[in-house]
């Protein structure tokens, strides 16, 4: 950070608290609006999908139904994949979002399984999961992504929510783009920090830093997804083929 980077105005605590109290009312309204949207989401209809859609996992050929691991709900992250490319050339955004889901026990306690359905071949892509030190269930959806993502652009990342009724599977909701930020704690904390995400689209005061929009922003550092550097430091190879 440049020492000449502008900072907020300095005021006494009473003035600061008054401004914060006014902002807190807007934050509460935002929370209530989010609750209302979540309530509407729970009332959406759903569409049946092929429970037998093929996936490839550690034990070979399985189905979408198997990916539920016996639970009632499944959240699937459809990860983008660049076949035949080393770790440094895999999607920095998918690495950023997917890599933040480490502790899954609370989802399991709610009857929800989380799994990555990679849109590339299993043997190659699971090496990336292991390279990154991730532990979530991992499957290749290479042979079924176009069917499961009907009406959407296969090859892009998507977060899809499923409900199981016996041997039948239904899709209840999906999102992509900024909707995937539901998985992300880093941006949530940045949004509460004084300089935010430091991206050009943000409404920030004149002179605020914009490093978040340079060379891949915080997704990417020195030519590769940021989270990979600690794995290289630990001695892991990023050759996946």
């Amino acid at each position: 950070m440049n020492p000449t980077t502008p900072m907020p105005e300095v005021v006494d605590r009473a003035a600061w608290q008054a401004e914060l109290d006014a902002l807190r009312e807007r934050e509460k309204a935002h929370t209530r609006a989010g609750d209302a949207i979540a309530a509407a989401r729970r009332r959406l209809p759903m569409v049946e999908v092929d429970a037998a859609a093929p996936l490839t996992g550690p034990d070979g050929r399985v189905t979408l139904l198997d990916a539920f691991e016996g639970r009632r709900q499944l959240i699937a992250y459809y990860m983008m994949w660049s076949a035949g490319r080393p770790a440094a050339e895999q999607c920095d955004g998918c690495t950023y979002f997917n890599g933040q889901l480490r502790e899954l026990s609370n989802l399991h306690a709610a009857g929800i399984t989380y799994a990555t359905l990679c849109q590339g071949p299993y043997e190659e892509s699971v090496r990336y999961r292991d390279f990154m030190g991730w532990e979530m269930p991992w499957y290749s959806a290479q042979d079924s992504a176009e069917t499961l993502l009907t009406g959407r652009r296969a090859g892009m990342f998507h977060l899809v929510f499923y409900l199981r009724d016996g041997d039948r599977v239904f899709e209840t909701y999906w999102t992509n783009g900024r909707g995937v930020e539901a998985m992300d704690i880093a941006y949530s904390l940045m949004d509460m920090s004084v300089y935010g995400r430091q991206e050009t689209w943000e409404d920030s005061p004149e002179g605020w830093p914009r490093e978040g929009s340079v060379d891949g922003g915080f997704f990417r550092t020195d030519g590769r997804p940021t989270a990979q550097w600690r794995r290289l430091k630990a001695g892991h190879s990023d050759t996946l083929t």
Side-chain angles (χ1 to χ4, degrees), residues 49-50 52-56 61-64 76-81 116-122 125 139-160 162 171 174 176:
V49 298
D50 182 7
L55 306 174
T56 303
R61 201 75 157 181
V62 295
T63 66
L64 179 64
Y77 182 83
Y78 284 80
M79 183 160 173
M80 298 166 61
W81 190 253
T116 296
L117 305 189
C118 187
Q119 299 178 69
Y122 178 77
S125 66
Y139 303 94
S140 168
Q142 187 175 35
D143 296 334
S144 57
E146 288 193 7
T147 299
L148 290 171
L149 296 174
T150 296
R152 287 152 287 190
R153 181 180 167 190
M156 295 294 292
F157 62 88
H158 300 278
L159 190 61
V160 184
Y162 297 102
E171 184 176 341
W174 71 275
N176 62 7

Side-chain angles (χ1 to χ4, degrees), residues 48-131:
E48 189 164 8
V49 298
D50 182 7
L55 306 174
T56 303
D59 298 320
R61 201 75 157 181
V62 295
T63 66
L64 179 64
L65 182 64
D66 294 324
F68 280 76
E69 297 182 345
R71 299 185 182 91
R72 189 74 190 277
Q73 298 183 73
L74 170 67
I75 300 174
Y77 182 83
Y78 284 80
M79 183 160 173
M80 298 166 61
W81 190 253
S82 297
R85 310 309 302 168
E89 297 179 29
Q90 296 305 324
C91 176
D92 43 11
C94 286
T95 302
Y96 176 86
F97 289 114
N98 204 29
Q100 294 189 58
L101 272 76
R102 297 285 185 167
E103 182 53 71
L104 301 178
S105 60
N106 293 312
L107 287 174
H108 294 171
I112 301 171
T113 295
Y114 175 86
T116 296
L117 305 189
C118 187
Q119 299 178 69
Y122 178 77
E123 292 298 335
E124 183 180 343
S125 66
V126 78
R127 292 191 186 101
Y128 188 67
R129 183 199 67 171
D130 297 342
F131 165 73

Side-chain angles (χ1 to χ4, degrees), residues 1 33 39 50-51 56 93 113 132 137 140 149 161 167 181 196 209-210 215:
M1 187 67 68
D50 182 7
T56 303
T113 295
M132 292 303 305
S140 168
L149 296 174
F161 294 73
D167 292 337
E181 290 178 11
R210 300 294 187 181
D215 296 331

